[in-house]
Amino acid sequence: MPYYRLLIWNKIGERYSNTTHLNVTGRAPHVSTGHEIKDIVKPWSLRLIGKVFVYDQSPTIDTFYWTKDGKKIKNLEGGDKYSEGSTEDPSLFIQNVNPHDVGTYRLTAINAVGSNESNIVLGVPQIFIKRSKNLHDDQCFTATIESIPAAYDAYWKVKRKDDGLFSPIDVNAEEYKGTSSSLPCPVLVVKKNELLESQQFCIEVHNFVGSQIQEISVLEQQDKF
């Protein structure tokens, strides 16, 4: 525990006072993180939102810092790539966002009591598909997308099982009537069951650091009707 003593001296000698211990009261700061897309056209930029809350009767923030995969942002090369905020707004700005920015970002805030931290992970979209039937007995596939940074587009695609390449689905075609690629929950509607037997479907989702493809055929073995 830190302590203080008063030292007084003259020509004859010196003497120390009694020891006074420093007892810091309060709590370490509360830290949370989020994200906000700053530019929707290239070059993309991203703000990792940092929020630091100081509890009542607790010391103010001494300092804060960001790390990426355990390395301090200030020590990373990149010139104007990164820009950290202030203790009032400890956010991190990332310019020209691209696949190299995938990783775990951590905000740490420190006061006289201690420190706390919050993580945010940038990565390619994660896709989860649920199969169901609508009132017309059509096969429906609803995609739930988890993505930081947020996904900006999605495409349903199809190919014959003996073909090599997927091509975008015509959402206006009668056999796919009701299909939508709109985020955040794209839906594929297949009106003819035989299409599921002769064709293969997938969804492709993009965010600013990459893309992910999920094939429906992978799910058919898990969720058959």
Side-chain angles (χ1 to χ4, degrees):
M1 179 181 296
Y3 65 88
Y4 294 85
R5 291 194 299 174
L6 175 65
L7 170 63
I8 300 177
W9 69 93
N10 58 20
K11 293 182 179 180
I12 300 176
E14 62 184 33
R15 187 174 296 273
Y16 286 92
S17 69
N18 294 333
T19 299
T20 299
H21 290 278
L22 178 64
N23 184 22
V24 180
T25 60
R27 300 168 64 179
H30 174 80
V31 183
S32 62
T33 50
H35 83 287
E36 175 187 28
I37 297 171
K38 299 299 293 182
D39 293 312
I40 59 175
V41 295
K42 289 185 176 182
W44 297 311
S45 64
L46 183 67
R47 176 189 177 211
L48 299 187
I49 302 170
K51 293 184 178 180
V52 177
F53 172 78
V54 177
Y55 295 96
D56 291 340
Q57 300 180 343
S58 296
T60 58
I61 302 300
D62 291 330
T63 187
F64 75 94
Y65 61 89
W66 283 89
T67 61
K68 179 191 176 188
D69 297 331
K71 297 180 180 180
K72 282 191 175 182
I73 291 293
K74 289 183 178 180
N75 296 335
L76 296 177
E77 297 181 0
D80 298 330
K81 175 76 174 175
Y82 303 104
S83 176
E84 292 183 306
S86 63
T87 53
E88 288 75 25
D89 180 15
S91 297
L92 176 68
F93 293 87
I94 306 175
Q95 305 294 332
N96 191 23
V97 179
N98 59 68
H100 296 292
D101 296 312
V102 168
T104 299
Y105 294 77
R106 175 178 295 170
L107 170 62
T108 301
I110 304 169
N111 66 5
V113 176
S115 65
N116 268 323
E117 57 196 29
S118 178
N119 293 343
I120 182 169
V121 179
L122 300 188
V124 298
Q126 300 297 307
I127 307 169
F128 306 91
I129 298 180
K130 181 179 180 181
R131 184 175 177 180
S132 61
K133 289 184 178 181
N134 62 18
L135 295 177
H136 304 289
D137 208 33
D138 303 324
Q139 299 286 345
C140 300
F141 300 88
T142 303
T144 300
I145 299 165
E146 297 179 1
S147 179
I148 300 177
Y152 64 84
D153 66 14
Y155 305 96
W156 290 105
K157 294 185 174 183
V158 62
K159 71 172 184 176
R160 294 192 60 84
K161 290 190 175 181
D162 54 357
D163 289 342
L165 297 176
F166 284 96
S167 59
I169 283 178
D170 180 2
V171 297
N172 296 314
E174 185 62 31
E175 60 265 34
Y176 303 121
K177 188 176 181 179
T179 294
S180 170
S181 295
S182 299
L183 296 167
C185 292
V187 177
L188 170 65
V189 178
V190 182
K191 291 186 168 293
K192 299 178 181 180
N193 288 335
E194 55 267 26
L195 291 177
L196 294 176
E197 300 174 3
S198 61
Q199 300 188 121
Q200 197 167 347
F201 298 89
C202 76
I203 185 170
E204 181 175 339
V205 182
H206 296 255
N207 68 10
F208 294 159
V209 297
S211 62
Q212 186 72 278
I213 296 175
Q214 177 67 64
E215 295 186 14
I216 289 178
S217 60
V218 175
L219 302 174
E220 290 180 350
Q221 301 301 320
Q222 305 172 0
D223 189 15
K224 290 186 177 180
F225 277 80

